[in-house]
Amino acid sequence: MPRNPLHDVAIVGVYNTPQARVLPDWTEPALVVDALRGGLANAGLTPQDVDGVALNSWVWRMSSREAAMLLGGNPCWTGSEFGVAGVLEAASAIATGQCHTAILAAAQCGEYTDHASTVSWTRPPNEFVECWGLYTAAEFALIAQRHMHKYGTPPEALAEVAAAIRMNGAHNPEAVFFGKEVIPEHVLKSRMVADPFHLLDCCITSEGGASLVMTTVERARDLDVTPVYILGGACDRQGMSYVTSPVWDKYGKVGSRAAGIAFETCGLQPKDVDTLELYDPFSFEVIRQLEAFGFVPEGEGGGYVLEGNVRIDGPTPVATNGGLLSFSHAGLAQLLQKPIAAVQQLRGDVPKELKVPEAKVAIASNGGAGALFDDVMLLGLEQP
């Protein structure tokens, strides 16, 4: 197997700012600074050690170049992607010598003020959808409905996924919904939002920030941290989110190509993955990704999750920090929190109730069929 340049990059620091439904005592710039400081402290580094940065804030629209000023104004590489795609972009910059140490950060605070409507990012201002009242939950619901019609996937399967992930959040003190236990019956009895999605099938709205620090494997060896290595990754982008109709026959397998590349890059298979930090905007999206990424055959995801396989003690535990359904869903920080959760799980920096025993390989993803994209990456404790 040819060596991939990504294999010479390691994640050495991760951090989540406070997460809450509302953070009234915070501003986005303060969250950004806290995220930058927290990530660097977790890695044992200082701003002077950084020569690469990618940053986003949702309301203030802070940019990577502004973040470079916050870090001292030294010459550096700046990135434009976020989440899994941002990690892969920064890793590529490190692998090609454009920088040696990069920090990614994002924050969102103060966006959701009109509580009479769904949050702004669920209502795309596009002339082809806005006039019809179409919004994010309905886009993803169309994908779920087609799968249910084609394969007989029952609503109980979606409820099992939602309950499993929300129970992870109930045991995570850092989660917005910490302490709020949910069983499948609660999901099925919650109000309908967009058939087949009940309220508890849908991700939450919250505020917060996050950061992640990467460097070369050589530099990582000199730090007092447990490095997590990038094993592989790729992006699938099939169109503009919430503009093109989410037709199952065209977009139902989005992410399968990216997952295939990620596995091929390191010579692993789905059976080698210990923890799955899958993107969970809605419960069905987890079932779809299990199939698209090769963990179960197409059409069998519903039956698979009903057997308890995505619970924290199952063979494929999903969204172990509580995910978007319970941990947090803040701006673009929530995209970054998927690889962060993978790193925390591999390092063992999680509550004992959520620890996956002897976890060595993790998968993280962003996106979904309703959004017409899915980015995938594999992380591990051992360098390929």
Side-chain angles (χ1 to χ4, degrees):
M1 182 180 63
R3 182 160 186 78
N4 191 291
L6 293 177
H7 297 163
D8 294 320
V9 181
I11 297 172
V12 293
V14 293
Y15 177 74
N16 287 305
T17 72
Q19 312 288 317
R21 294 298 299 272
V22 180
L23 292 169
D25 298 327
W26 287 81
T27 64
E28 273 193 357
L31 279 174
V32 166
V33 171
D34 185 60
L36 292 171
R37 287 175 173 170
L40 291 173
N42 188 256
L45 296 171
T46 69
Q48 289 70 39
D49 297 313
V50 174
D51 64 346
V53 61
L55 180 137
N56 170 274
S57 80
W58 193 267
V59 177
W60 285 65
R61 301 298 183 189
M62 295 180 69
S63 69
S64 298
R65 292 177 70 173
E66 289 175 287
M69 291 299 297
L70 292 174
L71 293 168
N74 300 313
C76 69
W77 168 88
T78 58
S80 58
E81 290 283 358
F82 303 97
V84 168
V87 174
L88 294 175
E89 180 189 37
S92 297
I94 293 172
T96 54
Q98 299 178 64
C99 63
H100 57 69
T101 303
I103 183 167
L104 282 64
Q108 184 267 312
C109 181
E111 168 69 12
Y112 192 22
T113 56
D114 179 12
H115 293 273
S117 305
T118 59
V119 73
S120 61
W121 58 74
T122 72
R123 294 176 276 120
N126 180 280
E127 68 269 27
F128 298 112
V129 297
E130 187 174 30
C131 58
W132 308 109
L134 193 60
Y135 62 111
T136 304
E139 299 265 3
F140 278 85
L142 291 171
I143 290 288
Q145 284 280 22
R146 180 58 181 167
H147 191 277
M148 296 171 80
H149 172 77
K150 189 173 183 178
Y151 299 111
T153 307
E156 290 77 9
L158 280 63
E160 168 61 22
V161 171
I165 295 174
R166 288 179 178 274
M167 282 300 292
N168 293 343
H171 290 106
N172 186 351
E174 295 185 0
V176 173
F177 279 9
F178 171 60
K180 297 186 177 182
E181 297 189 355
V182 173
I183 60 175
E185 287 75 13
H186 294 157
V187 180
L188 294 170
K189 289 181 179 179
S190 62
R191 66 178 175 84
M192 187 65 72
V193 173
D195 195 4
F197 296 140
H198 296 80
L199 180 64
L200 296 182
D201 284 303
C202 306
C203 62
I204 63 177
T205 299
S206 59
E207 298 181 344
S211 64
L212 181 148
V213 183
M214 290 179 290
T215 191
T216 64
V217 169
E218 183 178 0
R219 287 175 178 267
R221 295 192 182 106
D222 296 329
L223 301 176
D224 187 22
V225 300
T226 299
V228 171
Y229 302 100
I230 298 175
L231 307 183
C235 299
D236 272 5
R237 310 292 177 87
Q238 290 188 245
M240 293 300 295
S241 301
Y242 318 126
V243 175
T244 303
S245 300
V247 179
W248 169 266
D249 290 348
K250 185 169 179 61
Y251 305 111
K253 294 183 179 179
V254 64
S256 59
R257 168 189 166 277
I261 292 173
F263 282 115
E264 184 178 359
T265 299
C266 57
L268 298 179
Q269 301 177 36
K271 65 181 179 62
D272 299 312
V273 177
D274 302 304
T275 180
L276 291 72
E277 305 305 331
L278 302 183
Y279 201 64
D280 56 320
F282 303 94
S283 55
F284 171 74
E285 187 55 33
V286 168
I287 295 174
R288 190 200 69 80
Q289 288 177 93
L290 286 170
E291 296 178 5
F293 298 170
F295 287 90
V296 295
E298 183 176 340
E300 297 182 17
Y304 181 79
V305 301
L306 281 171
E307 295 174 355
N309 290 313
V310 298
R311 294 273 177 172
I312 195 67
D313 58 351
T316 51
V318 168
T320 61
N321 70 341
L324 309 186
L325 294 173
S326 182
F327 178 77
S328 188
H329 185 268
L332 295 181
Q334 45 88 16
L335 296 175
L336 193 58
Q337 284 165 341
K338 288 302 180 180
I340 288 174
V343 170
Q344 290 175 327
Q345 187 63 251
L346 293 175
R347 285 180 166 184
D349 296 337
V350 296
K352 62 179 181 179
E353 297 89 347
L354 300 177
K355 181 73 175 73
V356 176
E358 300 181 4
K360 294 182 179 179
V361 177
I363 190 170
S365 66
N366 289 160
L372 277 62
F373 83 98
D374 209 341
D375 304 333
V376 185
M377 70 182 308
L378 291 169
L379 302 170
L381 284 177
E382 299 179 1
Q383 185 182 13

